[in-house]
Amino acid sequence: MKRIAVLTSGGDAPGMNAAVRAVVRKGLYEGMEVYGINYGYAGLVAGDIRKLTRRDVGDKISRGGTFLYSARYPEFASEEGQLKGIEQLEKFGIEGLVVIGGDGSYRGGLALTKHGFPTIGLPGTIDNDIPGTDFCIGFDTAINTVLDSVDKIRDTATSHVRTFIVEVMGRNAGDIALWTGVAGGAEQIIIPEKEFNMAEVADTIQKGRERGKKHSIIILAEGVMSGNDFAKELAEFGDHHARVTVLGHVQRGGSPTARDRVLASIFGAKAVDLLKEGKGGLGLGMIGNKIAENNFEEILNNQKHLPDLSLYKLNQEISY
Amino acid sequence: MKRIAVLTSGGDAPGMNAAVRAVVRKGLYEGMEVYGINYGYAGLVAGDIRKLTRRDVGDKISRGGTFLYSARYPEFASEEGQLKGIEQLEKFGIEGLVVIGGDGSYRGGLALTKHGFPTIGLPGTIDNDIPGTDFCIGFDTAINTVLDSVDKIRDTATSHVRTFIVEVMGRNAGDIALWTGVAGGAEQIIIPEKEFNMAEVADTIQKGRERGKKHSIIILAEGVMSGNDFAKELAEFGDHHARVTVLGHVQRGGSPTARDRVLASIFGAKAVDLLKEGKGGLGLGMIGNKIAENNFEEILNNQKHLPDLSLYKLNQEISY
Amino acid sequence: MKRIAVLTSGGDAPGMNAAVRAVVRKGLYEGMEVYGINYGYAGLVAGDIRKLTRRDVGDKISRGGTFLYSARYPEFASEEGQLKGIEQLEKFGIEGLVVIGGDGSYRGGLALTKHGFPTIGLPGTIDNDIPGTDFCIGFDTAINTVLDSVDKIRDTATSHVRTFIVEVMGRNAGDIALWTGVAGGAEQIIIPEKEFNMAEVADTIQKGRERGKKHSIIILAEGVMSGNDFAKELAEFGDHHARVTVLGHVQRGGSPTARDRVLASIFGAKAVDLLKEGKGGLGLGMIGNKIAENNFEEILNNQKHLPDLSLYKLNQEISY
Amino acid sequence: MKRIAVLTSGGDAPGMNAAVRAVVRKGLYEGMEVYGINYGYAGLVAGDIRKLTRRDVGDKISRGGTFLYSARYPEFASEEGQLKGIEQLEKFGIEGLVVIGGDGSYRGGLALTKHGFPTIGLPGTIDNDIPGTDFCIGFDTAINTVLDSVDKIRDTATSHVRTFIVEVMGRNAGDIALWTGVAGGAEQIIIPEKEFNMAEVADTIQKGRERGKKHSIIILAEGVMSGNDFAKELAEFGDHHARVTVLGHVQRGGSPTARDRVLASIFGAKAVDLLKEGKGGLGLGMIGNKIAENNFEEILNNQKHLPDLSLYKLNQEISY
């Protein structure tokens, strides 16, 4: 394969730039030409495509966001959208593609592979909810971003009784909440994967207060409800002086951590290796510290992502 | 003076620990005994007082919060509360006092000074709104904390149009919003000291969009309204895809920056020098990089704090 | 088992405090008493032992260093030293022990286990070189600390030709150098596990210069040689304007990252579970994201730690 | 004035990008055209000049380094070099210039002003040693970078006696050492502006040890001697187990702090205001929180920079 392209799709994830850099540098190392597609599949269809050089990725490894921008492009689910994309690939002479993003980007990748354009998918989302991998690009950075905020809240030294509710991202996954809850020593973690009872939440806070603990921290995954709604419901069980922190899009930005850059680099280089062998239709993953190559179909149809729920039990035991 | 005491009062401000440390170390250096009072004036009245050693402050300079804890104690505004406090000071043989906190703590300090216990006040609040000083302990740290979040939001690279509203603290002051707005390159800053018109806010966002700018950042001081209320009102002028970030108490924590530690150290040592000379009833400040000694009365009665509004105009010119 | 103890040994590793906290909290959860031993085995022999409460670990999860302090105590290798230690364990009624540190601490743990005091070892060292685990407590934090410095060096924008040599820790292991080299996009990585030739190093720098690259970054593991010696030898091959950065003990400190805290918490709780079952003589590890229980003997006698050398090849391909 | 240009010169200072951004944004706001000159005066002479747009500075405010690069160009001290530069200015129709950097860049600025090209100088250097200003762009960031390392060293919890020598930048100025010494609670600060005696240094360390202090931190300004030389000399007075940290160019990089960005923005906008009025030959400064306009001649010939030496005495009193 002589000419490949790369795009980023879906929500921002720190490390996307490092992944694109690895694809470009490894591609050049293997004697290929590497093209960059702006704005994900929207840009593919529009032909917003250009050749990338070493210089283009020269100062990107430490940068959050993605210099290829990103977009969600639902039209690419349709045959019509896919054919337009293929038209552009043919026009630019591109033979293979690397897509970096959420599993939404894998659907398009599957379609392109079936049409003769081998596509490799790299899991990039702070939600860490793509099947077939223990960790996604962007997750390690996001949990450290949230943790930094939890640490600052823990500095609170006033005598006022307070319940700090930290609403974190995750779509329908509780990964960010679980990891930051354990790492931050939060008293309670509320995630979509676990039933919870507001009366018990209030009771746990109260018990802590009786033990002399003035401040409680609850990490709340957005997939359950918003922080403000949680605070309102909690108030029905007494005045817990709830203060809500909503980091929002802060969680999707920032310079990627060491692990996210290394993960992104390993994935990016591996994608080029696979395309070089003519392989496609695979979503990469890191399972047990070994690279896994998962079929797009498996990822999209069968596999479900589950966070590490042992962390939930662990936190109940050591942070009550 | 042979024995002095120190307390922290009001909301947490990073650098309070460094200030207490400076009072203790300078006091010991001058051959005094230094006592620490927990929980501000509440602890003074309760006699929650103990002698501090070099060891007690040995690892505090980099720590957020305050190891003497803090409290708001409105009862100290009454003569009754003050007399109880004086009782304790006499019981412990304390001759002078350093209070670190908001101007609320200065009232108590004024009363104690009038009753024969010279008190020096150090301005400690992230809101930076204590008269008689350009900068308060905790402000520099808080603006860098907020700035870190604004920087991460700026990494957003998706093609979605978004208006990011970052609600920041400040009570009724716009200092945090002004400084973080300029430092973060936010397109708009909404502060209590400046009238604003939601229609114009929406219009400015729209103009930016027409120029190709997909993402806008608005820094909103909490003294104007909450981020959620702002988003609701903005929505009446069109769909600006507002996303609200509320850092909350994150802004009051964290390891103090270099300037906050140096400011806190200069203030703490100066307080001891003044008490050594028998002086009291003064709130310290840094004006034009020189230490200022302001009478409590002046600070409490006459002077008003104004943020640097030239920053407002500056930002309109360079971040529109 | 009703009463256990915990100590930290060897060089500082961020996350040690979180591990001690997990041992204490899980121990209390299981109805045990948990004692803390200061200064590692030196403190054990000296009887510097006290009961720990929830309060003692209340604000420790985010702190670098170890509040139980640490020491290297070669005397514990002798039967005499071990017997003194056992005397103290019996005196305090301690039935089991958790040791956190380098494999040096495992020798003592093995001896104690053989003498009837089950001991569990948790791998804690920034060098990441303890056999039986992919990652040690402290490694993730250290590589991010180094990476932060490499990122700052990358900002250099002057036109001067420069070769930046960053000397990193690792004893005889190249893990820190490998991971920070890949994450930082360093042009060259010099580690003990790989032969290198200074003439080639100089040649690679020169080739980069001919391609227009003014600044090179070389990550040098201290196990090879010091940064200053490397710079001197490099100078024999031409003037490469070498500038040496030696972070030193900076690498052993700092607030632990999310992963280090989660790893430490998982390990700490697991150690208590094992002691509860009466098991001992095991060094824990995380292999492929699953907890591994390794016999001390295996770790000490047979197993050798190897860093992930695929990263070496990867970096040559994407960062040349 | 309708067309101005901006360049960065000398060593990197975080905030230079923010200053260039402010010049561009304010220039555009005032209806001017703003040109960027790469590589300082070297680029001016070479005609490496291009028009800058809002887009060019769109993502620069948080970036370390300078996107206009920098160079030291001694040839510009000669009339010949200056005339070449003027030729280029005329060729591009540039009427006024903003130079950001050390006072070395002011000499060129003075020459250009005398030749009819009003030039405004902005003080940009982490050494903080440009006369006519309390603070230079880059200083606040550098002291926080160093402080972060000092904090990590302070986490050291091993029982080994250690003297940590942290060699910091500053050319011949002790500003960085003074501020980081106070902020980091270092036991001793060694700066060019103060005589020191190695026997006393050793003695102070020893006294600390006798008081139970195992670890000492000494901040050493590079203008005195290198960290390694200091360690060698110290060793002549006993074994103080010195460990040297040399941050080197790490200190010149990194994302600028809030204050550096605000300072840079205020300076950049002011420079445009002055050029708009036809003024030139001035080096800006912030004195007592007010903008100062200093004649280049004064800065270059008469004024000497002095760090705040009261910090030296303060640290002796509170960190002994």
Side-chain angles (χ1 to χ4, degrees), chain B residues 21 25-26 54 58 134 140 144 151 154 183 211 258-259 261 288-289 317-320, chain D residues 21 25-26 54 58 134 140 144 151 154 183 211 258-259 261 288-289 317-320:
Chain B
R21 169 187 179 270
R25 297 300 300 263
K26 184 66 146 91
R54 174 205 295 257
D134 293 336
D140 190 57
N144 280 286
D151 280 349
R154 284 178 70 94
R211 272 192 336 250
R259 277 190 196 243
R261 299 188 205 185
N289 276 328
E317 296 174 350
I318 68 173
S319 298
Y320 62 100
Chain D
R21 170 186 177 270
R25 298 299 301 263
K26 184 66 146 93
R54 173 205 296 257
D134 293 336
D140 190 58
N144 281 286
D151 280 350
R154 285 178 71 94
R211 272 192 334 251
R259 278 188 195 244
R261 298 188 206 184
N289 275 328
E317 296 176 350
I318 68 173
S319 298
Y320 61 101

CSV table of all heavy atoms in Angstrom, one decimal, chain B residues 21 25-26 54 58 134 140 144 151 154 183 211 258-259 261 288-289 317-320, chain D residues 21 25-26 54 58 134 140 144 151 154 183 211 258-259 261 288-289 317-320:
chain,number,residue,atom,x,y,z
B,21,ARG,N,2.4,29.7,58.4
B,21,ARG,CA,3.8,29.3,58.5
B,21,ARG,C,4.7,30.5,58.7
B,21,ARG,O,5.6,30.4,59.6
B,21,ARG,CB,4.3,28.5,57.3
B,21,ARG,CG,5.8,28.2,57.2
B,21,ARG,CD,6.2,27.6,55.9
B,21,ARG,NE,7.6,27.4,55.8
B,21,ARG,CZ,8.5,28.3,55.4
B,21,ARG,NH1,8.1,29.4,55.0
B,21,ARG,NH2,9.8,28.0,55.3
B,25,ARG,N,7.1,30.9,61.9
B,25,ARG,CA,8.5,31.0,61.8
B,25,ARG,C,9.1,32.3,62.2
B,25,ARG,O,10.2,32.4,62.8
B,25,ARG,CB,8.9,30.6,60.3
B,25,ARG,CG,8.6,29.2,59.9
B,25,ARG,CD,9.2,28.1,60.7
B,25,ARG,NE,10.6,28.1,60.7
B,25,ARG,CZ,11.4,27.4,59.9
B,25,ARG,NH1,10.8,26.6,59.0
B,25,ARG,NH2,12.7,27.5,60.0
B,26,LYS,N,8.5,33.4,61.8
B,26,LYS,CA,9.0,34.7,62.1
B,26,LYS,C,8.8,35.0,63.6
B,26,LYS,O,9.7,35.6,64.3
B,26,LYS,CB,8.2,35.8,61.3
B,26,LYS,CG,8.8,37.2,61.5
B,26,LYS,CD,10.2,37.4,61.0
B,26,LYS,CE,10.4,38.8,60.5
B,26,LYS,NZ,10.9,39.8,61.5
B,54,ARG,N,7.7,24.8,65.1
B,54,ARG,CA,8.3,24.7,63.8
B,54,ARG,C,7.8,23.5,63.0
B,54,ARG,O,7.5,23.5,61.9
B,54,ARG,CB,9.8,24.7,63.9
B,54,ARG,CG,10.5,24.6,62.6
B,54,ARG,CD,11.9,24.0,62.8
B,54,ARG,NE,12.7,24.9,63.6
B,54,ARG,CZ,13.7,25.6,63.1
B,54,ARG,NH1,13.9,25.6,61.8
B,54,ARG,NH2,14.4,26.4,63.8
B,58,GLY,N,6.0,22.5,59.3
B,58,GLY,CA,7.1,22.0,58.5
B,58,GLY,C,6.8,21.6,57.0
B,58,GLY,O,7.6,21.7,56.2
B,134,ASP,N,-3.8,45.5,46.2
B,134,ASP,CA,-4.0,45.1,44.8
B,134,ASP,C,-4.3,43.7,44.7
B,134,ASP,O,-5.1,43.2,43.9
B,134,ASP,CB,-2.7,45.4,44.0
B,134,ASP,CG,-2.4,46.9,43.9
B,134,ASP,OD1,-3.3,47.7,44.0
B,134,ASP,OD2,-1.2,47.2,43.7
B,140,ASP,N,-4.0,34.7,43.0
B,140,ASP,CA,-3.2,34.2,41.9
B,140,ASP,C,-3.4,32.7,41.6
B,140,ASP,O,-3.5,32.3,40.4
B,140,ASP,CB,-1.7,34.5,42.2
B,140,ASP,CG,-0.8,34.2,41.0
B,140,ASP,OD1,-1.0,34.9,39.9
B,140,ASP,OD2,0.1,33.4,41.1
B,144,ASN,N,-5.2,30.9,38.1
B,144,ASN,CA,-4.5,29.9,37.3
B,144,ASN,C,-5.3,28.6,37.3
B,144,ASN,O,-5.2,27.8,36.3
B,144,ASN,CB,-3.1,29.6,37.9
B,144,ASN,CG,-2.1,30.7,37.4
B,144,ASN,OD1,-1.7,30.7,36.3
B,144,ASN,ND2,-1.8,31.7,38.3
B,151,ASP,N,-8.2,26.7,29.3
B,151,ASP,CA,-7.3,26.2,28.3
B,151,ASP,C,-7.8,24.8,27.7
B,151,ASP,O,-7.7,24.5,26.5
B,151,ASP,CB,-5.9,26.0,28.9
B,151,ASP,CG,-5.0,27.3,28.9
B,151,ASP,OD1,-5.5,28.3,28.3
B,151,ASP,OD2,-4.0,27.3,29.6
B,154,ARG,N,-10.5,25.2,25.4
B,154,ARG,CA,-10.1,25.8,24.1
B,154,ARG,C,-9.5,24.7,23.2
B,154,ARG,O,-9.4,24.9,22.0
B,154,ARG,CB,-8.9,26.8,24.3
B,154,ARG,CG,-9.4,28.1,24.8
B,154,ARG,CD,-8.1,29.0,25.1
B,154,ARG,NE,-7.5,29.4,23.8
B,154,ARG,CZ,-7.8,30.5,23.2
B,154,ARG,NH1,-8.7,31.3,23.6
B,154,ARG,NH2,-7.2,30.8,22.0
B,183,ALA,N,-6.5,36.3,30.3
B,183,ALA,CA,-5.5,35.3,30.1
B,183,ALA,C,-5.9,34.1,29.3
B,183,ALA,O,-5.1,33.5,28.6
B,183,ALA,CB,-5.1,34.8,31.5
B,211,ARG,N,-17.7,34.9,11.2
B,211,ARG,CA,-16.3,35.0,10.8
B,211,ARG,C,-15.6,33.7,10.8
B,211,ARG,O,-14.4,33.6,10.5
B,211,ARG,CB,-15.6,35.9,11.9
B,211,ARG,CG,-15.6,37.4,11.6
B,211,ARG,CD,-14.7,38.1,12.6
B,211,ARG,NE,-14.4,37.4,13.8
B,211,ARG,CZ,-14.8,37.8,15.0
B,211,ARG,NH1,-15.6,38.9,15.1
B,211,ARG,NH2,-14.5,37.1,16.1
B,258,ALA,N,3.5,30.4,43.2
B,258,ALA,CA,4.7,31.0,43.8
B,258,ALA,C,4.3,32.4,44.4
B,258,ALA,O,4.7,32.7,45.5
B,258,ALA,CB,5.8,31.2,42.7
B,259,ARG,N,3.6,33.2,43.6
B,259,ARG,CA,3.3,34.5,44.1
B,259,ARG,C,2.4,34.5,45.3
B,259,ARG,O,2.6,35.3,46.2
B,259,ARG,CB,2.5,35.3,43.0
B,259,ARG,CG,3.5,35.9,42.0
B,259,ARG,CD,2.7,36.9,41.1
B,259,ARG,NE,3.6,37.2,40.0
B,259,ARG,CZ,4.0,38.4,39.7
B,259,ARG,NH1,3.7,39.4,40.5
B,259,ARG,NH2,4.8,38.6,38.6
B,261,ARG,N,2.5,32.2,47.6
B,261,ARG,CA,3.3,31.8,48.8
B,261,ARG,C,4.2,33.0,49.2
B,261,ARG,O,4.5,33.2,50.4
B,261,ARG,CB,4.1,30.6,48.4
B,261,ARG,CG,3.3,29.4,48.1
B,261,ARG,CD,4.2,28.2,47.9
B,261,ARG,NE,3.7,27.2,47.1
B,261,ARG,CZ,4.3,26.0,46.9
B,261,ARG,NH1,5.4,25.7,47.5
B,261,ARG,NH2,3.7,25.1,46.1
B,288,GLY,N,1.0,48.6,44.7
B,288,GLY,CA,2.1,48.9,43.8
B,288,GLY,C,3.4,48.2,44.3
B,288,GLY,O,4.4,48.8,44.3
B,289,ASN,N,3.2,47.0,44.7
B,289,ASN,CA,4.4,46.2,45.1
B,289,ASN,C,5.1,46.7,46.4
B,289,ASN,O,6.2,46.3,46.7
B,289,ASN,CB,5.4,46.1,44.0
B,289,ASN,CG,5.1,45.0,43.0
B,289,ASN,OD1,4.6,44.0,43.4
B,289,ASN,ND2,5.5,45.2,41.8
B,317,GLU,N,-10.9,44.6,23.1
B,317,GLU,CA,-10.1,45.0,21.9
B,317,GLU,C,-9.3,43.9,21.3
B,317,GLU,O,-9.1,43.8,20.1
B,317,GLU,CB,-9.2,46.2,22.3
B,317,GLU,CG,-9.9,47.5,22.6
B,317,GLU,CD,-9.0,48.6,23.2
B,317,GLU,OE1,-7.8,48.3,23.4
B,317,GLU,OE2,-9.5,49.7,23.3
B,318,ILE,N,-8.9,43.0,22.2
B,318,ILE,CA,-8.0,41.9,21.6
B,318,ILE,C,-8.6,40.5,21.6
B,318,ILE,O,-8.0,39.6,21.0
B,318,ILE,CB,-6.6,41.9,22.4
B,318,ILE,CG1,-6.9,41.3,23.8
B,318,ILE,CG2,-5.9,43.2,22.4
B,318,ILE,CD1,-5.5,41.1,24.6
B,319,SER,N,-9.8,40.4,22.1
B,319,SER,CA,-10.4,39.0,22.1
B,319,SER,C,-11.8,39.0,21.5
B,319,SER,O,-12.4,38.0,21.6
B,319,SER,CB,-10.5,38.4,23.5
B,319,SER,OG,-9.2,38.3,24.1
B,320,TYR,N,-12.2,40.0,20.8
B,320,TYR,CA,-13.5,40.0,20.2
B,320,TYR,C,-13.6,39.0,19.1
B,320,TYR,O,-12.6,38.6,18.5
B,320,TYR,CB,-13.7,41.4,19.6
B,320,TYR,CG,-12.8,41.8,18.5
B,320,TYR,CD1,-13.1,41.7,17.1
B,320,TYR,CD2,-11.5,42.2,18.8
B,320,TYR,CE1,-12.1,42.0,16.1
B,320,TYR,CE2,-10.5,42.5,17.9
B,320,TYR,CZ,-10.9,42.4,16.5
B,320,TYR,OH,-9.9,42.7,15.6
D,21,ARG,N,0.4,38.0,20.1
D,21,ARG,CA,-1.1,38.0,19.9
D,21,ARG,C,-1.7,39.3,20.2
D,21,ARG,O,-2.5,39.8,19.4
D,21,ARG,CB,-1.7,36.9,20.7
D,21,ARG,CG,-3.2,36.9,20.7
D,21,ARG,CD,-3.8,35.9,21.7
D,21,ARG,NE,-5.3,36.0,21.7
D,21,ARG,CZ,-6.0,36.8,22.6
D,21,ARG,NH1,-5.3,37.6,23.4
D,21,ARG,NH2,-7.3,36.7,22.5
D,25,ARG,N,-3.7,41.5,17.6
D,25,ARG,CA,-5.2,41.8,17.8
D,25,ARG,C,-5.5,43.2,18.0
D,25,ARG,O,-6.4,43.8,17.4
D,25,ARG,CB,-5.7,40.9,19.0
D,25,ARG,CG,-5.6,39.5,18.8
D,25,ARG,CD,-6.4,38.9,17.6
D,25,ARG,NE,-7.8,39.2,17.7
D,25,ARG,CZ,-8.8,38.4,18.2
D,25,ARG,NH1,-8.4,37.2,18.6
D,25,ARG,NH2,-10.0,38.8,18.2
D,26,LYS,N,-4.6,43.9,18.7
D,26,LYS,CA,-4.8,45.3,19.0
D,26,LYS,C,-4.5,46.1,17.7
D,26,LYS,O,-5.2,47.1,17.4
D,26,LYS,CB,-3.9,45.8,20.1
D,26,LYS,CG,-4.1,47.3,20.5
D,26,LYS,CD,-5.5,47.6,21.1
D,26,LYS,CE,-5.4,48.6,22.2
D,26,LYS,NZ,-5.7,50.0,21.7
D,54,ARG,N,-5.5,37.4,12.2
D,54,ARG,CA,-6.1,37.0,13.5
D,54,ARG,C,-5.9,35.4,13.6
D,54,ARG,O,-5.6,34.9,14.7
D,54,ARG,CB,-7.6,37.3,13.4
D,54,ARG,CG,-8.4,36.8,14.6
D,54,ARG,CD,-9.9,36.7,14.2
D,54,ARG,NE,-10.4,37.9,13.9
D,54,ARG,CZ,-11.2,38.6,14.7
D,54,ARG,NH1,-11.5,38.1,15.8
D,54,ARG,NH2,-11.8,39.7,14.4
D,58,GLY,N,-4.5,32.6,16.6
D,58,GLY,CA,-5.8,32.1,17.2
D,58,GLY,C,-5.6,31.1,18.3
D,58,GLY,O,-6.4,31.0,19.2
D,134,ASP,N,9.2,46.0,37.3
D,134,ASP,CA,9.3,45.0,38.4
D,134,ASP,C,9.3,43.6,37.9
D,134,ASP,O,9.9,42.7,38.4
D,134,ASP,CB,8.0,45.2,39.3
D,134,ASP,CG,8.0,46.6,40.0
D,134,ASP,OD1,9.1,47.1,40.2
D,134,ASP,OD2,6.9,47.0,40.4
D,140,ASP,N,7.1,34.9,35.9
D,140,ASP,CA,6.1,34.2,36.8
D,140,ASP,C,6.0,32.8,36.4
D,140,ASP,O,5.9,31.9,37.3
D,140,ASP,CB,4.7,34.9,36.7
D,140,ASP,CG,3.7,34.4,37.7
D,140,ASP,OD1,4.0,34.5,38.9
D,140,ASP,OD2,2.7,33.9,37.3
D,144,ASN,N,7.2,29.4,38.8
D,144,ASN,CA,6.3,28.3,39.1
D,144,ASN,C,6.8,27.0,38.6
D,144,ASN,O,6.5,25.9,39.2
D,144,ASN,CB,4.9,28.6,38.6
D,144,ASN,CG,4.1,29.6,39.5
D,144,ASN,OD1,3.7,29.2,40.6
D,144,ASN,ND2,4.0,30.8,39.1
D,151,ASP,N,8.9,21.5,45.1
D,151,ASP,CA,7.8,20.8,45.9
D,151,ASP,C,8.0,19.3,45.8
D,151,ASP,O,7.8,18.6,46.8
D,151,ASP,CB,6.4,21.2,45.3
D,151,ASP,CG,5.9,22.5,45.8
D,151,ASP,OD1,6.5,23.1,46.7
D,151,ASP,OD2,4.9,23.0,45.2
D,154,ARG,N,10.7,18.2,48.0
D,154,ARG,CA,10.3,18.2,49.4
D,154,ARG,C,9.5,17.0,49.8
D,154,ARG,O,9.4,16.7,51.0
D,154,ARG,CB,9.4,19.4,49.6
D,154,ARG,CG,10.1,20.7,49.7
D,154,ARG,CD,9.1,21.9,49.9
D,154,ARG,NE,8.6,21.8,51.2
D,154,ARG,CZ,9.0,22.5,52.2
D,154,ARG,NH1,10.1,23.3,52.1
D,154,ARG,NH2,8.5,22.4,53.4
D,183,ALA,N,9.3,30.8,48.1
D,183,ALA,CA,8.0,30.1,47.8
D,183,ALA,C,8.2,28.6,48.2
D,183,ALA,O,7.3,27.9,48.5
D,183,ALA,CB,7.6,30.3,46.4
D,211,ARG,N,19.1,19.6,64.5
D,211,ARG,CA,17.7,19.9,64.9
D,211,ARG,C,16.8,18.8,64.5
D,211,ARG,O,15.6,18.9,64.7
D,211,ARG,CB,17.2,21.2,64.3
D,211,ARG,CG,17.6,22.4,65.2
D,211,ARG,CD,16.8,23.6,64.7
D,211,ARG,NE,16.5,23.6,63.3
D,211,ARG,CZ,17.0,24.3,62.3
D,211,ARG,NH1,18.0,25.2,62.6
D,211,ARG,NH2,16.6,24.2,61.1
D,258,ALA,N,-1.2,32.8,34.3
D,258,ALA,CA,-2.2,33.8,34.1
D,258,ALA,C,-1.5,35.2,34.1
D,258,ALA,O,-1.8,36.0,33.2
D,258,ALA,CB,-3.3,33.8,35.2
D,259,ARG,N,-0.7,35.4,35.1
D,259,ARG,CA,-0.1,36.8,35.1
D,259,ARG,C,0.8,37.1,34.0
D,259,ARG,O,0.9,38.2,33.5
D,259,ARG,CB,0.8,36.9,36.4
D,259,ARG,CG,-0.1,37.2,37.6
D,259,ARG,CD,0.8,37.5,38.8
D,259,ARG,NE,0.0,37.5,40.0
D,259,ARG,CZ,-0.2,38.6,40.7
D,259,ARG,NH1,0.4,39.8,40.4
D,259,ARG,NH2,-0.9,38.5,41.8
D,261,ARG,N,0.4,36.0,31.0
D,261,ARG,CA,-0.4,36.3,29.8
D,261,ARG,C,-1.1,37.6,29.9
D,261,ARG,O,-1.2,38.3,28.9
D,261,ARG,CB,-1.5,35.2,29.7
D,261,ARG,CG,-1.0,33.8,29.5
D,261,ARG,CD,-2.1,32.9,29.2
D,261,ARG,NE,-1.9,31.5,29.5
D,261,ARG,CZ,-2.7,30.5,29.3
D,261,ARG,NH1,-3.8,30.7,28.7
D,261,ARG,NH2,-2.4,29.3,29.7
D,288,GLY,N,5.1,49.1,40.1
D,288,GLY,CA,4.0,49.3,41.1
D,288,GLY,C,2.7,49.1,40.5
D,288,GLY,O,1.8,49.9,40.8
D,289,ASN,N,2.6,48.1,39.6
D,289,ASN,CA,1.3,47.8,39.0
D,289,ASN,C,0.8,48.9,38.0
D,289,ASN,O,-0.4,48.9,37.6
D,289,ASN,CB,0.2,47.5,40.0
D,289,ASN,CG,0.2,46.1,40.4
D,289,ASN,OD1,0.6,45.2,39.6
D,289,ASN,ND2,-0.1,45.8,41.7
D,317,GLU,N,15.0,34.5,57.8
D,317,GLU,CA,14.2,34.5,59.1
D,317,GLU,C,13.2,33.4,59.2
D,317,GLU,O,12.9,32.9,60.3
D,317,GLU,CB,13.5,35.9,59.2
D,317,GLU,CG,14.6,37.0,59.4
D,317,GLU,CD,13.9,38.4,59.4
D,317,GLU,OE1,12.7,38.5,59.2
D,317,GLU,OE2,14.6,39.4,59.7
D,318,ILE,N,12.6,33.0,58.1
D,318,ILE,CA,11.5,32.1,58.2
D,318,ILE,C,11.8,30.7,57.6
D,318,ILE,O,11.0,29.8,57.8
D,318,ILE,CB,10.2,32.6,57.5
D,318,ILE,CG1,10.4,32.7,56.0
D,318,ILE,CG2,9.8,33.9,58.1
D,318,ILE,CD1,9.1,33.0,55.3
D,319,SER,N,12.9,30.5,57.0
D,319,SER,CA,13.2,29.2,56.5
D,319,SER,C,14.6,28.6,57.0
D,319,SER,O,15.0,27.6,56.5
D,319,SER,CB,13.3,29.2,55.0
D,319,SER,OG,12.0,29.5,54.5
D,320,TYR,N,15.1,29.2,58.0
D,320,TYR,CA,16.4,28.7,58.6
D,320,TYR,C,16.2,27.3,59.1
D,320,TYR,O,15.2,26.9,59.5
D,320,TYR,CB,16.9,29.6,59.6
D,320,TYR,CG,16.0,29.7,60.8
D,320,TYR,CD1,16.2,29.0,62.0
D,320,TYR,CD2,14.8,30.5,60.7
D,320,TYR,CE1,15.3,29.1,63.1
D,320,TYR,CE2,13.9,30.6,61.8
D,320,TYR,CZ,14.2,29.9,63.0
D,320,TYR,OH,13.3,29.9,64.0
